Amino acid sequence: MRSIRVETSGATVLLTEAPEPKVRDRQTGEIAKDAQSGETLMRLGVVYIDGGESSLLQVTVPEGGVTEGLALGSSVTLFGLIARPWETVFNGQQRHGIAFRADAIAPAAMPVGAGA
């Protein structure tokens, strides 16, 4: 399926769940790795606010893209955010959704004059 780039420049994004390793297999506890680089994948939660609407998103980010200084409830920037529709059959039932992945996450820069 096709990936869709998500424009974040006009949105407010707040960190709601701290980054933690993404589990690939819940039964074995296997941690998910990037297929290309082998890097550990991290899972985190954000609230994405744009145009008067908000959505809770689970986002996957490579471990090297998680910047220090992230604080729960703080404004963050997601770099290279994409949405990828998916569907699968699990226990005989069709399931579908949208997976979100970003290249990196960092504390949002304060606008000039915001601290004054």
Side-chain angles (χ1 to χ4, degrees):
M1 292 199 161
R2 182 180 169 129
S3 295
I4 303 162
R5 184 152 306 276
V6 179
E7 177 59 48
T8 60
S9 62
T12 299
V13 183
L14 305 173
L15 185 65
T16 58
E17 292 178 39
E20 59 184 41
K22 182 176 180 177
V23 177
R24 178 181 177 173
D25 184 331
R26 292 183 187 145
Q27 292 181 331
T28 66
E30 179 185 2
I31 301 299
K33 304 280 185 181
D34 183 87
Q36 307 264 300
S37 69
E39 188 173 9
T40 296
L41 295 175
M42 305 298 283
R43 180 180 165 268
L44 53 95
V46 298
V47 63
Y48 181 92
I49 307 166
D50 189 24
E53 296 183 16
S54 65
S55 298
L56 292 171
L57 307 179
Q58 294 293 316
V59 181
T60 300
V61 179
E63 187 173 29
V66 177
T67 306
E68 289 187 29
L70 299 173
L72 289 180
S74 67
S75 186
V76 294
T77 300
L78 291 168
F79 298 94
L81 181 63
I82 61 166
R84 181 175 293 139
W86 61 269
E87 54 182 62
T88 189
V89 176
F90 183 74
N91 287 336
Q93 293 185 336
Q94 181 102 15
R95 298 180 61 167
H96 56 88
I98 299 173
F100 293 91
R101 180 156 175 168
D103 296 330
I105 182 172
M110 283 276 245
V112 176

